């Protein structure tokens, strides 16, 4: 086996503690050697206030995993790429399409790998859903992604700021799956609900048309109470398909055909190691482009103020 990749984490928050650190701890492809964060720390390794200090103090770093909010990710990614470090981008890969395009160019210029890590695309039943749909004639599809922001993002104000995506923060997970399993599609209309005291939407209804004319709808809601909904449905000539649980369970014609435990982040880091060792990048911008299009085409509706 190749020598472990010396990696550093930037931005030590909930997602890092819940997903990144456990995945790295079990992956022999990596050696976690440093962390940088304004607030959080990782035990038993050197910690720094920012990426610049980390890169200066730890020259043996080969790669960095960037897990701060998307509004602040470009500068950190550029710094790492210019220092010839491989870069793992937590989703969404940036606040705008154009800045991620620039990062792709910088990675190529500096001979390092860039990875846009769409974690939901690595959910256990996604590939099975893709294979099923590729074997059928699709008639229509619908995306229902509804969850409670107060449960999953308590007191995280950055998600409501400009560039924080609002309900498209989870919605982009749905789009990362849909753009992988459905034919190419584009937005025809969108309605976005903005709370009167927030700068990002709390709900959205989006309609798409695929390149061959099939209708696709997407409903996003960030104030869902009770059971959470992360489902993609398709009507096909082989029966109805339901990909549920954020991509963890697949049912066809009412019968569950695929159901496995979630292992998204271990698979993401496995993929990152593959592209680093192959000397390539993996940066699909389709989910981010759809979010940008929704904001560009979307009709803005002002709704009642939202409070945590």
């Amino acid at each position: 086996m190749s020598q472990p990749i010396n990696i550093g984490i930037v931005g030590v928050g909930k997602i890092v503690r819940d997903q990144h650190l456990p995945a790295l701890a079990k992956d022999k492809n990596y050696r976690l050697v440093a962390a940088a964060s304004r607030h959080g720390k990782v035990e038993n390794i050197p910690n720094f206030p920012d990426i610049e200090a980390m890169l200066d103090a730890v020259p043996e770093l080969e790669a960095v995993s960037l897990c701060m909010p998307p509004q602040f990710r470009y500068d950190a990614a550029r710094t790492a790429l210019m220092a010839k470090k491989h870069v793992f981008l937590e989703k969404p890969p940036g606040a705008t399409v154009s800045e991620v395009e620039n990062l792709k160019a910088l990675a190529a210029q500096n001979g390092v790998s860039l990875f846009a890590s769409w974690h939901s695309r690595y959910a256990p039943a996604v590939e099975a859903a893709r294979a099923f749909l590729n074997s059928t004639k699709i008639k229509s599809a619908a995306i229902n992604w509804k969850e409670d922001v107060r449960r999953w993002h308590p007191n995280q104000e950055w998600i409501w700021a400009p560039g924080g995506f609002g309900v498209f923060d989870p919605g982009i997970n749905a789009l990362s799956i849909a753009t992988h399993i459905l034919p190419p599609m584009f937005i025809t209309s969108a309605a976005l609900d903005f709370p009167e005291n927030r700068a990002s939407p709390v709900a959205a209804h989006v309609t798409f048309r695929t390149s061959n004319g099939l209708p696709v709808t997407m409903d996003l809601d960030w104030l869902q109470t009770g059971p959470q909904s992360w489902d993609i449905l398709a009507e096909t000539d082989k029966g109805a398909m339901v990909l549920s649980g954020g991509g963890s369970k697949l049912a066809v014609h009412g019968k569950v055909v695929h159901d496995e435990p979630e292992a998204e982040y271990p698979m993401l880091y496995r993929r990152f190691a593959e592209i680093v060792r192959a000397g390539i990048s993996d940066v699909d911008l389709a989910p981010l482009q759809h979010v940008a299009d929704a904001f560009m085409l979307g009709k803005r509706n002002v709704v009642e103020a939202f409070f945590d």
Side-chain angles (χ1 to χ4, degrees), residues 139-159:
K139 300 176 182 178
S140 65
I143 302 164
N144 296 314
W145 224 257
K146 301 177 181 182
E147 63 180 54
D148 189 350
V149 64
R150 294 158 295 198
R151 174 179 172 185
W152 301 103
H153 296 276
N155 304 313
Q156 294 184 20
E157 284 299 316
W158 65 266
I159 54 178

Side-chain angles (χ1 to χ4, degrees), residues 133-301:
L133 292 177
N134 283 341
S135 72
T136 69
K137 181 178 180 181
I138 305 171
K139 300 176 182 178
S140 65
I143 302 164
N144 296 314
W145 224 257
K146 301 177 181 182
E147 63 180 54
D148 189 350
V149 64
R150 294 158 295 198
R151 174 179 172 185
W152 301 103
H153 296 276
N155 304 313
Q156 294 184 20
E157 284 299 316
W158 65 266
I159 54 178
W160 299 109
F165 287 67
V167 75
F168 285 97
D169 178 77
I172 206 169
N173 293 333
L175 289 168
S176 72
I177 297 175
T179 53
H180 188 60
I181 68 174
L182 293 174
M185 59 188 189
F186 55 90
I187 291 175
T188 56
S189 67
L192 313 180
D193 291 347
F194 284 74
E196 59 187 8
N197 62 336
R198 294 290 191 270
S200 292
V202 72
H205 177 74
V206 184
T207 61
F208 301 83
R209 184 169 68 86
T210 68
S211 55
N212 54 356
L214 297 175
V216 180
T217 61
M218 180 169 72
D219 284 295
L220 308 177
D221 185 356
W222 227 0
L223 297 180
Q224 172 103 326
T225 58
Q228 310 287 275
S229 304
W230 301 298
D231 306 325
I232 297 179
L233 305 90
E235 293 294 334
T236 79
D237 63 350
K238 293 184 179 180
M241 183 207 81
V242 180
L243 181 63
S244 60
S248 64
K249 181 185 294 187
L250 177 66
V252 177
H253 208 54
K255 179 182 178 181
V256 175
V257 296
H258 201 101
D259 187 5
E260 294 181 17
E262 179 270 322
E264 295 171 12
Y265 278 82
M267 292 182 68
L268 284 178
Y269 276 102
R270 194 176 310 151
R271 174 59 177 161
F272 186 44
E274 288 175 357
I275 69 170
V276 166
R277 289 180 172 136
I280 60 174
S281 290
D282 183 350
V283 186
D284 179 10
L285 286 171
L288 185 62
Q289 184 66 67
H290 282 308
V291 173
D293 289 351
F295 276 91
M296 183 165 61
L297 280 179
K299 176 185 176 182
R300 179 179 178 131
N301 303 314

